[in-house]
Amino acid sequence: MSANTTMIQILHRFTRVVIFQAAVETVKDAVLLAISRGANLEGANLYGANLYGANLTHANLDDANLYGANLTHANLYGANLTHANLTHANLTRANLTHANLTHANLARANLTRANLDGTNLPSPTAVLLASWGAVS
């Protein structure tokens, strides 16, 4: 490990079991490495994670806790966000094309200028609780 790295663990949000761990500098680095290695991040606790600009294409984030996460400019093309907690998440200019947000919690999530082409959205009530600004 270099001086700037630490062992970061991604835990399951309910069981607290380690889903993935790596000696990296940031949680974002751990998430990207996990995805590149094909790790299943279902149920991952990514509360408040800074994932700005992260390439999360086709990531399985089913039931993940992304409360307050920064997903600004993130690429979530085809990602599985079924049942994900995106409360207070910042999804400004995120690419959610063909993402699955069925049953996701979008309460107070910021979706300003997010790309929602072909996105499978949650119930109308959850959608109304989000902050939309301008969307594309």
Side-chain angles (χ1 to χ4, degrees):
M1 278 193 308
S2 74
N4 294 329
T5 62
T6 186
M7 187 59 70
I8 293 181
Q9 295 181 331
I10 299 173
L11 304 176
H12 190 277
R13 68 187 285 199
F14 298 119
T15 66
R16 309 289 294 162
V17 170
V18 176
I19 295 172
F20 184 81
Q21 67 180 4
V24 291
E25 292 184 26
T26 67
V27 171
K28 178 181 175 180
D29 294 338
V31 169
L32 293 175
L33 185 59
I35 290 169
S36 74
R37 292 185 178 171
N40 181 356
L41 296 179
E42 181 177 342
N45 186 9
L46 298 170
Y47 180 99
N50 183 4
L51 300 171
Y52 180 95
N55 184 0
L56 306 172
T57 300
H58 297 292
N60 183 12
L61 295 164
D62 178 18
D63 207 28
N65 183 16
L66 290 154
Y67 182 103
N70 181 6
L71 291 156
T72 303
H73 290 281
N75 185 3
L76 290 150
Y77 182 95
N80 180 8
L81 292 156
T82 305
H83 298 104
N85 180 10
L86 291 158
T87 304
H88 289 287
N90 188 351
L91 291 147
T92 300
R93 295 187 181 268
N95 180 13
L96 291 158
T97 303
H98 299 293
N100 187 352
L101 291 162
T102 305
H103 304 293
N105 185 348
L106 292 170
R108 291 170 293 288
N110 184 348
L111 290 153
T112 301
R113 297 188 187 262
N115 184 344
L116 300 169
D117 291 340
T119 300
N120 192 359
L121 294 169
S123 71
T125 303
V127 170
L128 289 174
L129 293 172
S131 171
W132 291 93
V135 295
S136 60

